[in-house]
Amino acid sequence: MELSELARRWMHALTATAYIPLSHAEIEQALLDSLAELPTEPESVAYRLVSLHATGPDSLRATIDVLSPTFELPVLARLSSAYAQAMRMDAFDQQEEIKVAIVRAKQRVERTLKVSQARFQEVFDSAALGIAITDFTGRCVQANDALAEIVGLASGADLSEKNLTDFYHPEDVAALGASYRKVQEGRLERFRDQRKLIRADGEPVWVHLAVSLLRDADGLPTHHVTMVEDISELHLLQRSLDHQLLHDSLTGLSNRQHFTSQVERRLDSAPITLYHLGLDAFSVVNNGLGHETGDKLLKIVAARLGKLASEKKAIVARIGGDEFALLTTADNVTATIDDIQEALGEPTFVDDHGIALSVSIGVVDRPPAFTTAGELMRCANAALRQAKARGKRQWALHDQHDDARRRGRYALAASMPGAWEHGEIEIVYAPVHDLETREVLGAVARLHWDDLSHNDTMALADSTGLSLPIGKWLLREACAQAARWVAEFGDRAPTLHVALGALQSRDEDLVGDVKRALDETGLPPGRLRIALDISSVLAGDDNVVVLHDNGVVTALDGFHGGHDELTVLTEVPVRSVITRAPAPHPDSPMRQAMRDLITTVHSFGVRFGVDEVHTLEDADQWRSLGADGVIGLLPALTATEVTELLATAASPPTEAS
């Protein structure tokens, strides 16, 4: 929402709760300025609201209702706390004026102005704040009913002759006594403080004190005037907000923010071990039994981990949806992991369902002293991902060397969108050779980025969600280039081969993307070969059939020769299959097995191609086994290099397959 619109909504909400002596335009401009300051200076915004007289009973609630969808809880909590403080200060300022009136009224009374005494007494008795006039020993000379109620006495109770210090918390007596003496001696004009009083029933009560001097007609100090505001509810609210900011609302455990700060404090002490726990298959509980059951189970997990942490004098936190963390003084890692699995593995009945959970665990043991808390949490998370990759109920110890390699890969993946945007990712063309004739049958369009291969580049694209848009770009650009070759070289132009990744192969828009690429570039369908990832066909996707029906020759990439894959060849219309298996050794039993596999594929009327064949020796091995074509014998070329080769070719190649 635009800030101007938010300011307008805020203005209407506030003017409905309080009278603000400004025009709507002036109020809206002030609130717009406040919205700009709110993320960094919520306290200033709070004091501005009070200065605008937005102090109605519902003004704060209306403010929170308007701002809560846009601003985070910590900012609103600071705003609420500062607003309450500003309200108190405003009230105290008003009470200071009342106090001056009280003192002047008392002086006039002492000059026989009895009518002023009545006014003074009325203000004194009806004040919302507790007021006490004490001599310099602390003995109450006069106190109102509000103070009596604050300290737990009945309304109308006589506090005269009682010592106000009797109600101070024992821990605060010395500090308050020193502050009172500073006011008496003139070193302070007044002081304000937040302290605890002890009620008559022994219960503590949080109050805000404002203390100043009462002087006689000659200006000499004679008494202290103490004003007392009960802020117990506000104090509890503040503590509750602080707890919510640092603890998980569901389990009551520390949240990530609080846990990270605790890790930071422990880094400079004894050696530590950090365990990052991820519940295995927790989604099965949520999806099968419902999120309410899942929440109950999380509470049970938190309770068990809390008990284990108490036994080991460790710190435990919930740092994600189904993820927890445990910080211990460096100990026997395997023993602690066994303890964790044992604590969580016991079946638990939740809503009449017996549920047992296991966890995958990432461990960082005795990190270097210079490690930061944020880095330690990242390392533990990386170790957890490795553990989850191994299966259920696994654990992995952080390996800094392996982590460095993985971080390099993640860094590449993160920079890939920018590299694509700046044209650093280009399309190259790898020749497809016929093993029998040694002729070039076509060119496979592939991505090239830095020193990465096409498959590595597509794997990085998959990890960032970029594989679909970059795959569509590859298809469109390659078709456009192939159409230019057809227009310039006719039948001598190479047939275009495009191998799709798993995500693009099962994309519901694939057929439409291919048709648009052909229509927009003018490339004849017969000049295009599409190789789909075989996993998409095994999953039941029908893109391969629809493409064939639209005149596009199709192939299956990633072929391994399994029973299901061979069955697919009898069901879908494909021209060839492509494998990336290494050439079997002449003396290996795999040689005959591969020969039989190729023979079986041929029996279905399907050609057998091999990708990533880089030597003539390997090509001869595949030819002797019956394979039809290979990719990779020659280095991939840019479109410009292919064009130059076509232009200088002495004779045209055989007709494209």
Side-chain angles (χ1 to χ4, degrees):
M1 182 185 297
E2 294 290 334
L3 290 183
S4 57
E5 177 59 24
L6 185 59
R8 189 173 299 110
R9 291 184 56 190
W10 193 7
M11 180 270 292
H12 288 301
L14 284 179
T15 53
T17 64
Y19 171 70
I20 301 177
L22 295 172
S23 68
H24 281 193
E26 292 172 325
I27 298 172
E28 185 174 338
Q29 183 59 49
L31 295 180
L32 183 60
D33 295 340
S34 298
L35 287 174
E37 297 179 16
L38 184 56
T40 57
E41 297 290 337
E43 292 80 7
S44 298
V45 174
Y47 279 89
R48 180 177 296 168
L49 288 177
V50 174
S51 68
L52 289 174
H53 299 290
T55 55
D58 296 326
S59 296
L60 178 59
R61 177 189 58 75
T63 294
I64 297 300
D65 288 346
V66 172
L67 300 184
S68 58
T70 306
F71 294 91
E72 297 180 349
L73 176 60
V75 173
L76 299 181
R78 289 173 60 189
L79 175 66
S80 301
S81 179
Y83 181 86
Q85 177 70 13
M87 288 285 288
R88 287 201 304 275
M89 294 302 101
D90 186 64
F92 273 118
D93 289 341
Q94 295 179 32
Q95 290 299 331
E96 285 289 332
E97 296 177 5
I98 295 173
K99 184 172 69 177
V100 171
I102 292 172
V103 173
R104 290 176 178 174
K106 187 171 178 61
Q107 290 173 338
R108 285 195 295 271
V109 168
E110 293 175 347
R111 296 185 180 95
T112 69
L113 297 177
K114 294 183 179 181
V115 66
S116 296
Q117 172 65 38
R119 294 175 181 172
F120 161 77
Q121 196 64 45
E122 177 61 26
V123 172
F124 187 83
D125 292 341
S126 62
L129 301 181
I131 304 174
I133 300 175
T134 59
D135 60 24
F136 292 144
T137 67
R139 182 178 58 85
C140 288
V141 175
Q142 192 173 5
N144 64 357
D145 287 348
L147 179 60
E149 293 174 0
I150 289 174
V151 297
L153 299 175
S155 179
D158 186 8
L159 289 177
S160 61
E161 304 304 322
K162 290 185 178 293
N163 200 310
L164 189 59
T165 58
D166 292 341
F167 297 103
Y168 293 158
H169 193 280
E171 296 176 356
D172 296 335
V173 171
L176 285 174
S179 297
Y180 270 93
R181 284 191 295 273
K182 289 179 181 179
V183 172
Q184 179 185 347
E185 295 166 1
R187 288 183 287 165
L188 284 178
E189 181 179 357
R190 63 176 60 85
F191 78 85
R192 293 171 175 173
D193 205 353
Q194 184 173 302
R195 295 287 179 175
K196 280 191 294 186
L197 298 183
I198 301 299
R199 292 165 50 91
D201 57 8
E203 292 295 320
V205 54
W206 281 92
V207 297
H208 198 284
L209 300 175
V211 179
S212 59
L213 277 178
L214 183 63
R215 301 177 183 273
D216 62 15
D218 298 322
L220 297 176
T222 59
H223 297 84
H224 285 120
V225 178
T226 302
M227 304 180 70
V228 183
E229 180 187 14
D230 185 350
I231 59 169
S232 296
E233 291 186 3
L234 183 61
H235 183 76
L236 291 174
L237 174 61
Q238 184 64 52
R239 291 187 63 182
S240 176
L241 289 173
D242 290 342
H243 187 273
Q244 291 179 35
L245 288 173
L246 300 176
H247 291 80
D248 174 52
S249 60
L250 177 66
T251 64
L253 297 179
S254 295
N255 59 15
R256 175 181 287 273
Q257 176 185 351
H258 190 206
F259 183 75
T260 302
S261 66
Q262 292 174 301
V263 172
E264 193 74 54
R265 288 194 295 270
R266 293 281 294 272
L267 280 174
D268 297 328
S269 57
I272 59 175
T273 303
L274 176 61
Y275 301 85
H276 190 164
L277 286 60
L279 298 181
D280 292 331
F282 182 69
S283 59
V284 173
V285 177
N286 272 340
N287 296 332
L289 304 178
H291 287 273
E292 184 176 351
T293 300
D295 288 346
K296 292 178 181 179
L297 189 60
L298 286 174
K299 292 179 181 179
I300 294 172
V301 169
R304 292 183 179 180
L305 290 177
K307 181 180 178 182
L308 181 63
S310 178
E311 294 171 354
K312 291 182 172 293
K313 297 181 179 179
I315 301 171
V316 65
R318 183 188 179 202
I319 58 176
D322 60 352
E323 295 184 3
F324 296 82
L326 190 71
L327 181 69
T328 69
T329 301
D331 57 0
N332 186 315
V333 172
T334 56
T336 299
I337 288 175
D338 289 342
D339 291 340
I340 293 172
Q341 297 288 13
E342 182 180 353
L344 300 182
E346 180 183 349
T348 302
F349 282 89
V350 181
D351 297 335
D352 297 327
H353 301 287
I355 304 171
L357 286 177
S358 64
V359 290
S360 297
I361 305 173
V363 183
V364 181
D365 188 35
R366 296 173 176 84
F370 55 82
T371 305
T372 65
E375 175 66 9
L376 184 59
M377 296 289 287
R378 188 200 64 77
C379 291
N381 181 69
L384 174 61
R385 302 305 150 215
Q386 288 181 263
K388 283 185 173 291
R390 298 173 184 173
K392 310 301 183 185
R393 202 183 176 91
Q394 300 296 312
W395 68 279
L397 190 65
H398 175 256
D399 181 339
Q400 60 180 354
H401 301 294
D402 181 65
D403 183 52
R405 290 191 296 271
R406 290 176 182 272
R407 290 193 72 180
R409 183 176 178 83
Y410 294 151
L412 275 176
S415 64
M416 191 174 190
W420 184 31
E421 180 71 21
H422 291 90
E424 297 174 19
I425 300 177
E426 59 180 350
I427 301 174
V428 295
Y429 298 86
V432 181
H433 285 88
D434 185 285
L435 284 174
E436 189 63 34
T437 65
R438 302 292 179 132
E439 298 292 342
V440 175
L441 300 177
V444 180
R446 289 183 162 169
L447 297 175
H448 178 72
W449 178 34
D450 199 13
D451 293 327
L452 298 178
S453 68
H454 172 81
N455 292 333
D456 288 340
T457 303
M458 287 304 295
L460 289 177
D462 278 340
S463 67
T464 60
L466 199 62
S467 56
L468 282 180
I470 206 170
K472 293 178 181 179
W473 170 76
L474 169 66
L475 176 65
R476 173 65 176 76
E477 293 298 314
C479 285
Q481 181 59 59
R484 287 193 288 269
W485 285 332
V486 170
E488 185 172 355
F489 302 108
D491 291 341
R492 296 172 55 204
T495 299
L496 176 65
H497 295 247
V498 178
L500 307 181
L503 291 178
Q504 193 176 12
S505 296
R506 65 174 64 102
D507 183 17
E508 294 184 356
D509 296 327
L510 174 62
V511 175
D513 292 337
V514 172
K515 292 182 66 176
R516 278 191 295 273
L518 294 174
D519 292 342
E520 293 173 3
T521 63
L523 180 68
R527 307 291 300 188
L528 176 64
R529 306 286 186 268
I530 295 289
L532 294 92
D533 189 87
I534 196 167
S535 64
S536 68
V537 182
L538 291 174
D541 188 89
D542 62 352
N543 277 335
V544 64
V545 176
V546 181
L547 285 172
H548 177 270
D549 292 344
N550 281 271
V552 178
V553 177
T554 56
L556 297 181
D557 195 12
F559 183 78
H560 296 94
H563 178 271
D564 291 345
E565 295 178 345
L566 291 173
T567 302
V568 162
L569 298 184
T570 67
E571 300 173 348
V572 297
V574 294
R575 174 74 61 84
S576 59
V577 296
I578 303 169
T579 185
R580 289 179 177 80
H585 192 274
D587 299 327
S588 170
M590 285 297 297
R591 184 174 179 82
Q592 184 59 45
M594 187 61 72
R595 186 192 302 276
D596 293 341
L597 175 62
I598 295 174
T599 301
T600 302
V601 170
H602 284 162
S603 70
F604 297 134
V606 177
R607 294 167 61 84
F608 193 95
V610 187
D611 197 357
E612 297 184 3
V613 177
H614 302 298
T615 67
L616 289 174
E617 181 182 356
D618 286 344
D620 288 339
Q621 291 287 346
W622 283 112
R623 183 180 60 79
S624 66
L625 293 173
D628 300 293
V630 293
I631 304 170
L633 272 182
L634 295 177
L637 303 176
T638 65
T640 301
E641 291 170 332
V642 173
T643 302
E644 292 174 352
L645 284 177
L646 291 172
T648 58
S651 60
T654 58
E655 183 175 350
S657 64

